[in-house]
Amino acid sequence: MTQLRTMAQSNGFQQGEKRDFSRKKLKELPREVLAPGNVQNLYLQNNRLKQVCGISALCNIRELNLSCNEFSEFPGEIGELQHLEKLYLNQNCISKIPDGIFSRLEKLEFLKLSTNRLATLPSDLGNCKRLQYLNLSNNCLRDLKALEGLSSLKELYVKSNNLTDLPTGIFLNADLTMFKAAGNPLREPPEEVCMGGVKDIQRYFMMLGSSGQCVRRVKTMFLGSSMAGKSTICRSLREGSPVQVDAADRTVGIEISEVEMRGIKFLFWDFAGHEEYYFTHHVFITPQALVILTINLASYDVNNPQSFKDSVSFWINNVKLRVPESVVLLVGTHADQCMGTADVQEKKADIETKVAAMLKERKANLEMRIKNIEEDQEDPAQLRALQKFTKQKLKVLDLVPMDCTKTEDIENFQNYILCQVQDKDLFPSIERTLPHRYQEVESSIQDLKENKDIPEHGIMSIEDILIDLNTKLGELDREDLQCILRYLHRIGIIVWYVEISALQETVFVEPSFLIKLFKTTVRHDLVNQLQDITRDQLVEERSLVIHRDRWIDDLKGKATLHNAAIRVLLRKSLQELEMDDDDIVKEIVGTRSRDGKFLDLLRHFEICLPAQLSSPLNPQAPIFFPNRKWEPSKPSVHNPGACLFPNYLRDNGTVLKMWGEDSNEDIQVQVYFLPEVPHGFFHRLIIRACSFYPTHWVGKDHCLVSSSNRLVLLKEKCARGDQLIEIRCRRPDRAHLCTDAQMWRSSWDMMLVVLQKLTLLTHQWPGLCLYVCSPCRVDTCSAHFPWMDWKDLDGSDIYNMVKEEKLLCSHGHTHQAELLFPKVPRDIKSDDE
Ligand SMILES: Nc1nc2c(ncn2[C@@H]2O[C@H](COP(=O)(O)OP(=O)(O)OP(=O)(O)O)[C@@H](O)[C@H]2O)c(=O)[nH]1
């Protein structure tokens, strides 16, 4: 946005008050900046300034933007700008702010100091009584005491610092509505409380009063390929001795259990290793957890790179993309089935060396990209994003070989885990201070489960929980309870999706049950499950064997599962789980006329897309005449409803049939993913894009969306080792009823909708870095035109992304700008290129 503003205003003076000298590679202030005048807005961002001597002469400045420069010291002269309301000093290297500056900036309302090196704050910052917005994210602050006097603060951002405690005083301020503190080793209040926002923090402090309880807890996630031995370790650790898991007993979905070892509570999440489940994993891989990556040493082959990829690097990449700062502990099972100690040691050394090389290579790639961007001075936004990634440190601990059938190995592994989680550098925040109320609620819920006071499925309404706990704990405020439940959801003890409106009142106090529901439709043997449906089960759904055959055909051919089939499968698994409460079954399963809660969940997790089974076009439909009432045909086309599960698609046939061949004439944008497109990303993108464009065709890694005769193709692909998603649209044709400008605009608008959906989706993978560009349109040319600042662009600015009418690639090919960037051409010529 800043760049656009810069472009739009060009340099120099505007209305005698705004001076824009941003992006000029300035090392010092030129005379024009300081020339006398009534300057109120001064833009100096994206330069190379280390100081701003003389700036105090511009004493009327209200807005000063010095972001993205090279300040290592806070420019003291700023203290003299007494009319200053808005100050940007983010993205610099400032490590200290002297006292005595902010006490003079009485009118300051907005202060952005994010991404600097601040370890402390000046004691007089609290004097800025008008300050409403303060951003201190990405520094190294250890406390926020200096902020206690800021009585007008509305928004406060302190993400990624070293904060362990937050001062209560800040939250007494009724105006504060926005507070973000992710990425701190917070203990009081814990990060999971802060994620609930200001109101939850306020309640936490109110409940905390003068004393709390220290709780030590670690969420532990077991990841690794199928048959690696995850369930075996998990169950053996729970028992304290080897537990034999039957080879046929595959984990389906995720198994959850809790175990206390020497005063530390471990919440075990055992993830199924079968590939069909991978794409749901990222939802449950959460920060601040210990990841135990289990590798079957007996089947690991040091000479086969694929072996390392499947059993190690795939998992490490997955974790890094989702939680970039994870701690991963490698464990090698089946040591007893290897060929002696030397073989075990060789495999251990091989895995550790390859992991180290992989992390080193990634770091080198990142540094290389940063260097290239710095040298080309190409894209500061991209540069900042990459610099952020260099700070994210995934820690992979050495591999522990073990024989899961030996008690000694289980005990040693238990000790090893205990030792690692107590290492403050690795796990700075396993200790949390919790109000007694939190503990009481948690234990009461556990009691309800253990004493079987609630049904095994553990589905409860908020009201029920409140009634139950009120009898046990005395008067419990509903808001307090909800605040505590939100916390328990975030740490993985219960599941409560407040954000799904149909589930706002429903709490799953037994998360494993919910996961078991997932396995109904997300499983490797779904076709077999359909085949196994009995006649009785079909009758209950008023269906016949021919219907079941069609369900199987549609799943195999179109990756589409009929809602009726989902209901039958769900009922079947609920019966297996001995759930006999008809009302709840109905609520979860739904009926022909009303979707159940289960479908809401599937859609919420973007696992499936509502699909049309029959053609949406009805040949019997009467013609519509304006001003005349339209009658539907009788009988109307029956559409029983179904869901498309893109993960079950096997080819791109239907998409390619509609789209035809790619053409050099297409307009296209490429989104490169560093290091790779995450598992399940493309499916979710398809679901988002197709939900927006109801006319669509979907394939394994292709998807076509259509709107008013325009087609946009999305493709996941790999080009010379780089993974990317390509978005293509046919070059617009001249059409009547449409001006040239409209024609271009609507094509680009469609591309941008897809790009925007893609960008939003990337937020779920914070370890992901994107490079967006338009390739040169000459077939043999490898040049790219990078999209700058594209994440910041809003609807009105995006068509101004480039000023030029023609653009020249680095190999000398010239193109009309609208063929490469969203731009409405001023004057279309018949021959553009
Ligand atoms: N001999 C031997 N067998 C092991 C060892 N670890 C696991 N097994 C066996 O390997 C098989 C697979 O182990 P599981 O724990 O079910 O594997 P998993 O990783 O949970 O597999 P999924 O459920 O498919 O994700 C079981 O039969 C275990 O008993 C080991 O160290 N030695």
Side-chain angles (χ1 to χ4, degrees), residues 224-233 243-252 270-274 294 296 332-337 402-405:
S225 315
S226 190
M227 299 291 279
K230 299 179 291 296
S231 306
T232 308
I233 303 186
V243 172
Q244 178 87 23
V245 176
D246 193 80
D249 182 5
R250 299 278 51 78
T251 306
V252 181
D270 177 12
F271 286 74
H274 210 285
T294 314
N296 181 338
T333 57
H334 295 78
D336 53 310
Q337 292 179 347
M402 67 188 285
D403 166 5
C404 299
T405 61

CSV table of all heavy atoms in Angstrom, one decimal, residues 224-233 243-252 270-274 294 296 332-337 402-405, ligand 1:
chain,number,residue,atom,x,y,z
A,224,GLY,N,4.6,-39.8,12.5
A,224,GLY,CA,5.5,-40.8,11.8
A,224,GLY,C,4.7,-41.7,10.9
A,224,GLY,O,3.4,-41.7,11.0
A,225,SER,N,5.4,-42.4,10.1
A,225,SER,CA,4.7,-43.3,9.1
A,225,SER,C,3.9,-44.4,9.8
A,225,SER,O,4.1,-44.7,10.9
A,225,SER,CB,5.7,-43.9,8.2
A,225,SER,OG,6.6,-43.0,7.7
A,226,SER,N,3.0,-45.0,9.0
A,226,SER,CA,2.2,-46.1,9.5
A,226,SER,C,3.1,-47.2,9.9
A,226,SER,O,4.1,-47.5,9.3
A,226,SER,CB,1.3,-46.5,8.4
A,226,SER,OG,0.3,-47.4,8.9
A,227,MET,N,2.8,-47.9,11.0
A,227,MET,CA,3.5,-49.0,11.5
A,227,MET,C,4.9,-48.7,12.1
A,227,MET,O,5.7,-49.5,12.4
A,227,MET,CB,3.8,-50.1,10.5
A,227,MET,CG,2.5,-50.7,9.9
A,227,MET,SD,1.7,-51.7,11.1
A,227,MET,CE,2.6,-53.2,11.0
A,228,ALA,N,5.1,-47.4,12.3
A,228,ALA,CA,6.4,-47.0,12.9
A,228,ALA,C,6.5,-47.4,14.4
A,228,ALA,O,7.6,-47.6,14.9
A,228,ALA,CB,6.6,-45.5,12.7
A,229,GLY,N,5.4,-47.4,15.0
A,229,GLY,CA,5.4,-47.8,16.5
A,229,GLY,C,4.9,-46.6,17.4
A,229,GLY,O,5.2,-46.7,18.6
A,230,LYS,N,4.2,-45.7,16.8
A,230,LYS,CA,3.7,-44.6,17.6
A,230,LYS,C,2.8,-45.0,18.7
A,230,LYS,O,3.0,-44.7,19.9
A,230,LYS,CB,2.9,-43.6,16.7
A,230,LYS,CG,3.8,-43.0,15.6
A,230,LYS,CD,3.0,-42.0,14.7
A,230,LYS,CE,2.0,-42.7,13.9
A,230,LYS,NZ,2.5,-43.7,12.9
A,231,SER,N,1.8,-45.8,18.3
A,231,SER,CA,0.8,-46.2,19.4
A,231,SER,C,1.5,-47.1,20.4
A,231,SER,O,1.2,-46.9,21.6
A,231,SER,CB,-0.3,-47.0,18.8
A,231,SER,OG,-0.9,-46.3,17.7
A,232,THR,N,2.5,-47.9,20.0
A,232,THR,CA,3.2,-48.7,21.0
A,232,THR,C,3.9,-47.9,22.0
A,232,THR,O,3.8,-48.1,23.2
A,232,THR,CB,4.2,-49.6,20.2
A,232,THR,OG1,3.5,-50.3,19.2
A,232,THR,CG2,4.8,-50.6,21.1
A,233,ILE,N,4.6,-46.9,21.5
A,233,ILE,CA,5.4,-46.0,22.5
A,233,ILE,C,4.4,-45.3,23.4
A,233,ILE,O,4.5,-45.2,24.6
A,233,ILE,CB,6.3,-45.0,21.8
A,233,ILE,CG1,7.2,-45.7,20.8
A,233,ILE,CG2,7.0,-44.1,22.8
A,233,ILE,CD1,8.2,-44.7,20.2
A,243,VAL,N,3.8,-52.3,25.9
A,243,VAL,CA,2.5,-52.7,25.6
A,243,VAL,C,2.5,-53.2,24.1
A,243,VAL,O,3.0,-52.5,23.2
A,243,VAL,CB,1.5,-51.5,25.7
A,243,VAL,CG1,0.1,-51.9,25.2
A,243,VAL,CG2,1.3,-51.0,27.1
A,244,GLN,N,2.0,-54.4,24.0
A,244,GLN,CA,2.0,-55.0,22.6
A,244,GLN,C,0.8,-54.4,21.8
A,244,GLN,O,-0.3,-54.6,22.3
A,244,GLN,CB,2.0,-56.5,22.8
A,244,GLN,CG,1.9,-57.3,21.5
A,244,GLN,CD,3.3,-57.5,20.9
A,244,GLN,OE1,4.3,-57.6,21.7
A,244,GLN,NE2,3.4,-57.7,19.7
A,245,VAL,N,1.1,-53.8,20.7
A,245,VAL,CA,0.0,-53.3,19.9
A,245,VAL,C,-0.1,-54.3,18.7
A,245,VAL,O,0.9,-54.6,18.0
A,245,VAL,CB,0.2,-51.9,19.3
A,245,VAL,CG1,-0.9,-51.5,18.4
A,245,VAL,CG2,0.3,-50.9,20.5
A,246,ASP,N,-1.3,-54.8,18.5
A,246,ASP,CA,-1.5,-55.7,17.4
A,246,ASP,C,-1.2,-55.1,16.0
A,246,ASP,O,-1.6,-53.9,15.8
A,246,ASP,CB,-3.0,-56.3,17.4
A,246,ASP,CG,-3.1,-57.5,16.6
A,246,ASP,OD1,-2.7,-58.6,17.0
A,246,ASP,OD2,-3.6,-57.3,15.4
A,247,ALA,N,-0.5,-55.8,15.2
A,247,ALA,CA,-0.1,-55.2,13.9
A,247,ALA,C,-1.4,-54.8,13.1
A,247,ALA,O,-1.3,-53.9,12.2
A,247,ALA,CB,0.7,-56.2,13.1
A,248,ALA,N,-2.5,-55.4,13.3
A,248,ALA,CA,-3.7,-55.1,12.6
A,248,ALA,C,-4.5,-53.9,13.2
A,248,ALA,O,-5.4,-53.4,12.6
A,248,ALA,CB,-4.7,-56.3,12.5
A,249,ASP,N,-4.0,-53.5,14.3
A,249,ASP,CA,-4.7,-52.4,15.1
A,249,ASP,C,-4.2,-51.0,14.6
A,249,ASP,O,-3.3,-50.4,15.3
A,249,ASP,CB,-4.4,-52.7,16.6
A,249,ASP,CG,-5.1,-51.6,17.5
A,249,ASP,OD1,-5.9,-50.8,16.9
A,249,ASP,OD2,-4.9,-51.7,18.7
A,250,ARG,N,-4.6,-50.6,13.5
A,250,ARG,CA,-4.1,-49.3,13.0
A,250,ARG,C,-4.8,-48.1,13.7
A,250,ARG,O,-6.0,-48.2,13.9
A,250,ARG,CB,-4.4,-49.2,11.5
A,250,ARG,CG,-3.7,-50.2,10.6
A,250,ARG,CD,-2.3,-49.9,10.3
A,250,ARG,NE,-1.4,-49.6,11.4
A,250,ARG,CZ,-0.9,-50.5,12.3
A,250,ARG,NH1,-1.2,-51.8,12.1
A,250,ARG,NH2,-0.2,-50.1,13.3
A,251,THR,N,-4.1,-47.1,14.0
A,251,THR,CA,-4.7,-45.9,14.5
A,251,THR,C,-5.5,-45.3,13.4
A,251,THR,O,-5.0,-45.1,12.3
A,251,THR,CB,-3.6,-44.9,15.0
A,251,THR,OG1,-2.8,-45.6,15.9
A,251,THR,CG2,-4.3,-43.7,15.7
A,252,VAL,N,-6.7,-44.9,13.7
A,252,VAL,CA,-7.5,-44.2,12.7
A,252,VAL,C,-7.8,-42.8,13.2
A,252,VAL,O,-8.3,-42.7,14.3
A,252,VAL,CB,-8.9,-45.0,12.5
A,252,VAL,CG1,-9.7,-44.3,11.4
A,252,VAL,CG2,-8.6,-46.4,12.0
A,270,ASP,N,-1.8,-39.1,19.6
A,270,ASP,CA,-1.2,-40.2,18.7
A,270,ASP,C,-1.9,-40.1,17.3
A,270,ASP,O,-3.0,-40.4,17.1
A,270,ASP,CB,-1.5,-41.5,19.3
A,270,ASP,CG,-1.0,-42.7,18.5
A,270,ASP,OD1,-0.2,-42.4,17.5
A,270,ASP,OD2,-1.3,-43.9,18.8
A,271,PHE,N,-1.1,-39.5,16.3
A,271,PHE,CA,-1.7,-39.3,15.0
A,271,PHE,C,-1.5,-40.5,14.1
A,271,PHE,O,-0.5,-41.2,14.1
A,271,PHE,CB,-0.9,-38.2,14.3
A,271,PHE,CG,-1.2,-36.8,14.9
A,271,PHE,CD1,-0.7,-36.4,16.1
A,271,PHE,CD2,-1.9,-35.9,14.1
A,271,PHE,CE1,-1.0,-35.1,16.6
A,271,PHE,CE2,-2.2,-34.6,14.6
A,271,PHE,CZ,-1.8,-34.3,15.8
A,272,ALA,N,-2.6,-40.9,13.4
A,272,ALA,CA,-2.5,-42.0,12.5
A,272,ALA,C,-1.5,-41.8,11.4
A,272,ALA,O,-1.3,-40.7,10.9
A,272,ALA,CB,-3.9,-42.2,11.9
A,273,GLY,N,-0.7,-42.8,11.1
A,273,GLY,CA,0.4,-42.7,10.1
A,273,GLY,C,0.0,-42.9,8.7
A,273,GLY,O,0.7,-42.7,7.8
A,274,HIS,N,-1.3,-43.4,8.5
A,274,HIS,CA,-1.7,-43.7,7.1
A,274,HIS,C,-1.9,-42.4,6.3
A,274,HIS,O,-2.5,-41.5,6.9
A,274,HIS,CB,-3.0,-44.5,7.2
A,274,HIS,CG,-3.1,-45.5,6.0
A,274,HIS,ND1,-3.4,-45.0,4.8
A,274,HIS,CD2,-2.9,-46.8,5.9
A,274,HIS,CE1,-3.4,-46.1,3.9
A,274,HIS,NE2,-3.1,-47.1,4.6
A,294,THR,N,8.4,-40.7,15.2
A,294,THR,CA,8.8,-42.2,15.3
A,294,THR,C,9.2,-42.8,14.0
A,294,THR,O,8.5,-42.6,13.0
A,294,THR,CB,7.5,-42.9,15.9
A,294,THR,OG1,7.0,-42.1,16.9
A,294,THR,CG2,7.9,-44.3,16.4
A,296,ASN,N,10.7,-46.3,12.1
A,296,ASN,CA,10.9,-47.7,12.2
A,296,ASN,C,12.3,-48.0,11.6
A,296,ASN,O,12.6,-47.9,10.4
A,296,ASN,CB,9.9,-48.5,11.4
A,296,ASN,CG,10.0,-50.0,11.4
A,296,ASN,OD1,11.1,-50.5,11.7
A,296,ASN,ND2,9.0,-50.7,11.2
A,332,GLY,N,13.9,-44.0,17.2
A,332,GLY,CA,13.9,-45.1,16.3
A,332,GLY,C,13.5,-46.4,16.9
A,332,GLY,O,14.1,-46.9,17.8
A,333,THR,N,12.4,-46.9,16.5
A,333,THR,CA,11.8,-48.1,17.0
A,333,THR,C,12.4,-49.4,16.3
A,333,THR,O,13.1,-49.2,15.4
A,333,THR,CB,10.3,-48.2,16.9
A,333,THR,OG1,10.0,-48.0,15.6
A,333,THR,CG2,9.7,-47.0,17.7
A,334,HIS,N,12.0,-50.5,16.8
A,334,HIS,CA,12.3,-51.8,16.1
A,334,HIS,C,13.8,-52.0,16.1
A,334,HIS,O,14.4,-52.7,15.2
A,334,HIS,CB,11.8,-51.9,14.7
A,334,HIS,CG,10.3,-51.9,14.6
A,334,HIS,ND1,9.5,-50.8,14.7
A,334,HIS,CD2,9.4,-53.0,14.5
A,334,HIS,CE1,8.2,-51.1,14.6
A,334,HIS,NE2,8.1,-52.4,14.5
A,335,ALA,N,14.5,-51.4,17.1
A,335,ALA,CA,16.0,-51.6,17.1
A,335,ALA,C,16.3,-53.1,17.2
A,335,ALA,O,17.3,-53.6,16.7
A,335,ALA,CB,16.6,-50.9,18.3
A,336,ASP,N,15.4,-53.9,17.9
A,336,ASP,CA,15.6,-55.3,18.1
A,336,ASP,C,15.6,-56.0,16.8
A,336,ASP,O,16.1,-57.1,16.6
A,336,ASP,CB,14.6,-55.9,19.0
A,336,ASP,CG,13.2,-55.5,18.6
A,336,ASP,OD1,12.9,-54.3,18.4
A,336,ASP,OD2,12.3,-56.5,18.5
A,337,GLN,N,14.9,-55.4,15.8
A,337,GLN,CA,14.8,-56.1,14.5
A,337,GLN,C,15.9,-55.7,13.5
A,337,GLN,O,15.8,-56.0,12.3
A,337,GLN,CB,13.4,-56.0,13.9
A,337,GLN,CG,12.4,-56.7,14.7
A,337,GLN,CD,10.9,-56.5,14.2
A,337,GLN,OE1,10.7,-55.6,13.4
A,337,GLN,NE2,10.0,-57.3,14.7
A,402,MET,N,15.4,-47.5,20.1
A,402,MET,CA,14.8,-48.3,21.2
A,402,MET,C,14.1,-49.5,20.7
A,402,MET,O,13.7,-49.6,19.5
A,402,MET,CB,13.9,-47.5,22.1
A,402,MET,CG,12.6,-47.0,21.4
A,402,MET,SD,11.7,-45.8,22.4
A,402,MET,CE,11.0,-46.9,23.7
A,403,ASP,N,14.0,-50.5,21.6
A,403,ASP,CA,13.2,-51.7,21.4
A,403,ASP,C,12.0,-51.6,22.3
A,403,ASP,O,12.1,-51.7,23.5
A,403,ASP,CB,14.1,-52.9,21.8
A,403,ASP,CG,13.3,-54.2,21.8
A,403,ASP,OD1,12.1,-54.2,21.5
A,403,ASP,OD2,13.9,-55.2,22.2
A,404,CYS,N,10.9,-51.4,21.6
A,404,CYS,CA,9.6,-51.1,22.4
A,404,CYS,C,9.1,-52.3,23.2
A,404,CYS,O,8.2,-52.1,23.9
A,404,CYS,CB,8.5,-50.6,21.5
A,404,CYS,SG,9.0,-49.1,20.7
A,405,THR,N,9.7,-53.4,23.0
A,405,THR,CA,9.3,-54.6,23.7
A,405,THR,C,10.1,-54.7,25.0
A,405,THR,O,9.8,-55.6,25.8
A,405,THR,CB,9.5,-55.9,22.9
A,405,THR,OG1,10.9,-56.0,22.6
A,405,THR,CG2,8.7,-55.8,21.6
B,1,LIG,N1,9.7,-55.9,17.6
B,1,LIG,C1,9.3,-54.7,17.7
B,1,LIG,N2,8.0,-54.4,17.4
B,1,LIG,C2,7.6,-53.2,17.5
B,1,LIG,C3,8.4,-52.1,18.0
B,1,LIG,N3,7.7,-51.0,18.0
B,1,LIG,C4,6.4,-51.3,17.5
B,1,LIG,N4,6.4,-52.6,17.2
B,1,LIG,C5,5.3,-53.3,16.5
B,1,LIG,O1,5.0,-52.7,15.3
B,1,LIG,C6,3.6,-52.7,15.0
B,1,LIG,C7,3.2,-51.3,14.6
B,1,LIG,O2,3.2,-50.5,15.8
B,1,LIG,P1,2.1,-49.4,16.1
B,1,LIG,O3,2.5,-48.8,17.4
B,1,LIG,O4,0.8,-49.9,15.9
B,1,LIG,O5,2.5,-48.4,14.9
B,1,LIG,P2,1.8,-47.0,14.6
B,1,LIG,O6,3.0,-46.1,14.2
B,1,LIG,O7,1.0,-46.5,15.7
B,1,LIG,O8,1.0,-47.3,13.2
B,1,LIG,P3,-0.3,-46.5,12.7
B,1,LIG,O9,-1.4,-46.9,13.7
B,1,LIG,O10,-0.6,-47.1,11.3
B,1,LIG,O11,-0.1,-45.1,12.6
B,1,LIG,C8,2.9,-53.3,16.2
B,1,LIG,O12,2.6,-54.6,15.9
B,1,LIG,C9,3.9,-53.2,17.3
B,1,LIG,O13,3.8,-54.2,18.3
B,1,LIG,C10,9.7,-52.5,18.4
B,1,LIG,O14,10.5,-51.6,18.9
B,1,LIG,N5,10.1,-53.8,18.3
